[in-house]
Amino acid sequence: MTGRHYPRSSSTTAPRHSAHSQKLAGGSHFPSQEHQAAGRGRHMSVPEPEPKHKTGLYMLLLILGLIVCLVLCAVVIPAAVQKARDHEAMTLVAPGTTVDVEIPEGADGQSIFGALVDAGLLTNDQSSDFMHAALAQGNNAQNMQAGTYTFTGGMTPEELAQALVAGPQYNAAYTLTIPEGYTVQAIANAIEKNIPTISADDFMAQAKASNYVSDYPFLADAADNSLEGFLFPRTYNFHKDVDADTVIRAMLDQYQSEIGALDFETARQNIATTYGLDFSDYDFLKLASIIEREAASDDDRPMIASVFYNRMRDGMPLQSDATSEYYKGDAVTPDDLQQNNPYNTYLNEGLPLTPICSPGEASLQAALNPAQTDYYFFYIIKDGDDSHSWYAEDYDQHLANIAAAQEQYPDAQTQDKEQGQ
């Protein structure tokens, strides 16, 4: 005996077998006769191997696929990455725009060049130009000093290398500071004073909206071919070869950058809902310029904006002396306020023809987000370095505020900030 136990059967008592295997005591399986017959009928056989010529074709395709992958990894992908980096590097800051660059201690020439590329002052393809300029300064990066630099867009590799050798105390050839509230003419005068190569007349001749609207679409609504309001106030640094066009583009670039952070669309919806007024971006700029000239402090700005919006909502003229002063170019008299012109907001409802100055960010924000008040009048005086403001809902209260202010501050100057009926 092998240890296997076969089942006993009887021709008279054994049950019918199914086609399933029957398990023996030893654990082996033997198919029943029905199963054996079925198996033999299905021709259970091992698959034949593929022909050799097909196997060779598969191998060839596999090798070709690997070669393509290697080419992609070695050539195409790095090229795409480099192209993306080059595209980023080609985004240069606008000429005249200032950029702060930190040069760490011990930085080598390539690291310094990389910092200038990252700052948008140079592009990757200017590497050799910068290295040659650095070598011309003596022994490459060893003469370049660590520290924080303020560079100006448009500087050449040679100028940057010279500045890095001179050290962080390096200054651009010309520094121009434009305060908030300057007109285009005042900006021209400041340029002539600070950049002797550009006369005020040359600047004014170049400062026309038509010269720049193709590059700066926000100028499309500018009235009277004027750049008034668009030359953003701040401090600019320029290299020695700067011209009027470069200065104007630097200021327009700065304006574009500043307004990019402002939500004009939400403000437009809020003004329409609250005051029933349909304001364009240019309208906001006009109002901001008036706020800039009328306000004496940041706290005044949203309050003054509220007064003007309330007046426009109710069909009242703005009655701002500042708009007539812009037209006249000097302080106004009562007689001036009776002369009709596009900037006389005593005789004409609504906003003037153009902005009346370059407003700063605070005034722009106030025009977009006015305070919610019921005021229709304001009176502002300067008392030394301080200022004082009064607001009124009606004209009688306004007159009372003026009397109280003059009594309390008899020597204070109104600076033409009165805004009356």
Side-chain angles (χ1 to χ4, degrees):
M1 299 290 291
T2 61
R4 295 178 179 176
H5 299 274
Y6 295 89
R8 298 176 61 183
S9 61
S10 168
S11 60
T12 58
T13 60
R16 294 175 63 91
H17 293 292
S18 69
H20 294 87
S21 302
Q22 295 181 352
K23 189 174 182 180
L24 306 183
S28 299
H29 291 76
F30 290 89
S32 65
Q33 291 181 352
E34 287 184 42
H35 196 186
Q36 288 176 338
R40 286 193 296 270
R42 284 200 297 267
H43 184 64
M44 303 294 288
S45 60
V46 178
E48 294 182 7
E50 293 286 346
K52 290 185 177 180
H53 71 277
K54 289 188 177 180
T55 303
L57 179 61
Y58 293 153
M59 290 297 296
L60 178 60
L61 292 174
L62 178 60
I63 292 171
L64 289 175
L66 290 173
I67 291 173
V68 171
C69 289
L70 290 173
V71 171
L72 287 172
C73 293
V75 178
V76 178
I77 295 176
V81 172
Q82 185 61 44
K83 184 176 181 180
R85 290 175 177 171
D86 291 344
H87 177 73
E88 292 180 1
M90 289 299 291
T91 306
L92 296 174
V93 298
T97 302
T98 56
V99 180
D100 291 335
V101 178
E102 179 70 27
I103 304 299
E105 291 285 351
D108 59 17
Q110 196 60 45
S111 297
I112 294 173
F113 173 73
L116 298 175
V117 170
D118 291 342
L121 294 164
L122 296 175
T123 60
N124 281 328
D125 58 7
Q126 292 180 293
S127 176
S128 60
D129 294 337
F130 177 74
M131 292 306 175
H132 288 145
L135 286 171
Q137 300 300 313
N139 202 17
N140 201 359
Q142 293 186 17
N143 286 346
M144 296 187 186
Q145 302 183 44
T148 300
Y149 293 79
T150 299
F151 293 128
T152 304
M155 293 179 69
T156 66
E158 292 76 15
E159 290 172 332
L160 291 168
Q162 292 170 4
L164 288 162
V165 170
Q169 74 278 4
Y170 161 82
N171 289 315
Y174 304 114
T175 297
L176 176 67
T177 298
I178 303 301
E180 292 86 350
Y182 264 30
T183 64
V184 172
Q185 183 63 62
I187 292 172
N189 295 339
I191 289 171
E192 183 176 78
K193 180 179 179 181
N194 290 276
I195 306 177
T197 57
I198 305 174
S199 69
D201 289 342
D202 288 344
F203 184 84
M204 291 299 294
Q206 183 64 31
K208 307 296 182 185
S210 57
N211 291 335
Y212 300 97
V213 66
S214 60
D215 294 328
Y216 301 93
F218 54 79
L219 294 175
D221 292 334
D224 203 28
N225 202 22
S226 173
L227 291 180
E228 198 70 79
F230 293 105
L231 304 180
F232 200 82
R234 61 159 289 175
T235 296
Y236 298 88
N237 294 308
F238 299 103
H239 56 77
K240 62 179 181 297
D241 297 324
V242 67
D243 57 13
D245 177 68
T246 301
V247 173
I248 291 170
R249 288 184 181 277
M251 293 179 176
L252 292 176
D253 286 334
Q254 191 63 41
Y255 176 84
Q256 185 167 255
S257 175
E258 296 290 339
I259 65 171
L262 302 177
D263 191 351
F264 280 84
E265 190 54 41
T266 298
R268 192 175 355 268
Q269 295 173 8
N270 290 340
I271 296 304
T273 300
T274 306
Y275 301 98
L277 301 171
D278 184 15
F279 257 51
S280 67
D281 290 3
Y282 195 46
D283 290 331
F284 283 120
L285 181 62
K286 291 179 187 180
L287 182 57
S289 72
I290 303 173
I291 294 169
E292 187 66 58
R293 293 296 301 156
E294 293 281 9
S297 70
D298 285 346
D299 290 340
D300 291 331
R301 301 180 202 278
M303 298 291 288
I304 293 173
S306 175
V307 169
F308 287 143
Y309 277 121
N310 288 340
R311 282 178 161 263
M312 286 186 283
R313 177 194 59 201
D314 293 353
M316 299 172 63
L318 298 182
Q319 295 186 330
S320 168
D321 289 357
T323 59
S324 290
E325 287 173 354
Y326 172 79
Y327 181 80
K328 182 181 179 181
D330 199 355
V332 294
T333 65
D335 287 341
D336 293 327
L337 299 180
Q338 300 304 313
Q339 305 300 315
N340 196 5
N341 60 69
Y343 295 88
N344 189 328
T345 53
Y346 279 80
L347 299 181
N348 302 303
E349 293 182 12
L351 297 165
L353 178 64
T354 70
I356 62 172
C357 70
S358 290
E361 180 186 1
S363 291
L364 284 166
Q365 289 283 10
L368 297 176
N369 303 286
Q372 299 299 308
T373 76
D374 294 322
Y375 296 134
Y376 290 86
F377 304 89
F378 64 83
Y379 185 74
I380 299 174
I381 62 172
K382 289 283 289 183
D383 182 26
D385 293 334
D386 298 325
S387 65
H388 307 279
S389 308
W390 290 261
Y391 298 89
E393 296 181 10
D394 57 55
Y395 190 57
D396 289 341
Q397 182 60 52
H398 177 56
L399 294 177
N401 287 341
I402 293 174
Q406 292 176 345
E407 180 179 356
Q408 187 173 359
Y409 303 100
D411 298 325
Q413 299 177 352
T414 63
Q415 294 197 158
D416 299 303
K417 297 296 182 181
E418 179 181 355
Q419 195 279 328
Q421 187 177 33

